[in-house]
Amino acid sequence: MRALAPYQSGLWLAEYLSIRCQLCRIYRSSSQHHLTNNIPNLKKASKRLGRGLLCTHCHHSITWLPNPFLVDIAPNITLPIQAATYYDYPIRQAIRAFKHHEDMTKLAILVHALRQLPRPKGCHNTNSVIVPMPTTNPRLVKRGFDPVSILSTQLSKHWNIPLWQGVERIDDTNTQQGLTRSERLSNLDNAFALTQMPPVKRLILFDDVATTGASLQALGRTIHEQVSHFYTSALPSANNYELSAYALAHGSQ
Ligand SMILES: [Zn+2]
């Protein structure tokens, strides 16, 4: 058995031992609790919030599940992108600290956000896989860790749907930040390649932040094109593939 990554033990402590809200740090069960000291209600609330890493007050101060937005990946084929929340306080700060400063203490609130994402209808562990947004090797080496892979592992646990890493990122562009939409799109041309054919028909793409959706769009387009191309001769019904996309947050960088 592999040893637990350091972040996993931290998350375990936050989940099972800490009784403080991961955002306001107020004791979730104290009598000064924002909402209630009524024990049955508190139990119900923490059950509803999925082990309650945030207190009810903080949970309700965040806008969850904004309407999905659509991007085109082929003529007449759109990819719906569902985010857990907006790229706004406090998720924005948590993502930045986690991604850019490897602040693992922020993982708990991000996991709380991930758990707001409903499992896609009809998807389960034998007919679907989660496809994490791939990162480039130089980027991985520079950062030393891959935030999207850590987050998608948590999403995989939450939905009980396996990860599939059959796509590689082949561009050597540094970042999408600060580019216009058209610059982003051309930057992403040919950025991805399939290294194997998907094992199932339902592919759930995942990225941490979807700004314009350009990265998820390019990933979806690549998968659609390469899978259709591969199957054109062998399997007439190649378009039975179902792609959907999820992100932790939607908004501007
Ligand atoms: Zn709180």
Side-chain angles (χ1 to χ4, degrees):
M1 198 181 128
R2 286 172 56 198
L4 283 181
Y7 72 85
Q8 282 172 312
S9 43
L11 189 60
W12 189 87
L13 288 174
E15 188 133 81
Y16 299 104
L17 293 185
S18 171
I19 52 167
R20 287 170 186 263
C21 168
Q22 292 296 311
L23 184 56
C24 67
R25 310 304 298 172
I26 286 178
Y27 286 99
R28 296 201 294 257
S29 55
S30 81
S31 57
Q32 282 100 44
H33 194 275
H34 299 293
L35 268 194
T36 181
N37 49 18
N38 175 322
I39 298 301
N41 277 355
L42 194 65
K43 271 188 185 161
K44 219 196 281 173
S46 74
K47 201 175 170 192
R48 190 168 51 77
L49 298 183
R51 297 184 187 133
L53 287 160
L54 296 192
C55 72
T56 316
H57 175 82
C58 289
H59 175 83
H60 289 300
S61 70
I62 298 171
T63 305
W64 300 110
L65 302 178
N67 286 334
F69 64 107
L70 302 173
V71 292
D72 294 326
I73 54 169
N76 302 319
I77 302 182
T78 53
L79 176 70
I81 303 176
Q82 172 72 66
T85 183
Y86 291 108
Y87 192 58
D88 226 337
Y89 176 84
I91 300 296
R92 179 191 177 102
Q93 283 72 8
I95 291 177
R96 293 184 75 92
F98 177 66
K99 259 179 104 160
H100 304 299
H101 305 290
E102 297 180 33
D103 181 353
M104 292 299 160
T105 65
K106 298 294 186 288
L107 183 58
I109 181 175
L110 299 181
V111 167
H112 183 86
L114 281 177
R115 289 178 180 167
Q116 310 310 314
L117 288 171
R119 183 155 72 169
K121 259 193 183 153
C123 289
H124 51 76
N125 62 2
T126 56
N127 71 357
S128 312
V129 289
I130 297 172
V131 187
M133 177 61 66
T135 186
T136 53
N137 282 335
R139 225 183 283 185
L140 192 58
V141 167
K142 191 177 153 202
R143 273 202 186 133
F145 91 126
D146 178 8
V148 174
S149 139
I150 293 174
L151 293 168
S152 49
T153 301
Q154 297 300 321
L155 187 63
S156 167
K157 279 185 191 162
H158 174 55
W159 282 346
N160 189 28
I161 290 178
L163 298 176
W164 178 70
Q165 282 162 327
V167 187
E168 63 176 1
R169 192 158 190 153
I170 47 181
D171 69 335
D172 56 0
T173 50
N174 287 322
T175 174
Q176 289 291 93
Q177 275 185 31
L179 300 181
T180 67
R181 180 166 174 79
S182 62
E183 283 169 341
R184 280 167 187 261
L185 287 174
S186 68
N187 196 27
L188 285 163
D189 273 349
N190 309 313
F192 304 102
L194 263 70
T195 55
Q196 51 184 281
M197 280 298 125
V200 288
K201 293 278 186 182
R202 292 181 183 200
L203 306 177
I204 306 165
L205 316 184
F206 174 77
D207 202 0
D208 51 3
V209 181
T211 313
T212 59
S215 302
L216 286 166
Q217 182 180 28
L219 179 60
R221 190 178 284 161
T222 301
I223 293 174
H224 174 78
E225 276 169 11
Q226 296 188 10
V227 167
S228 315
H229 184 255
F230 181 81
Y231 281 120
T232 305
S233 50
L235 192 74
S237 57
N239 288 338
N240 287 347
Y241 271 87
E242 226 175 83
L243 295 180
S244 56
Y246 288 79
L248 189 51
H250 174 207
S252 58
Q253 298 269 19

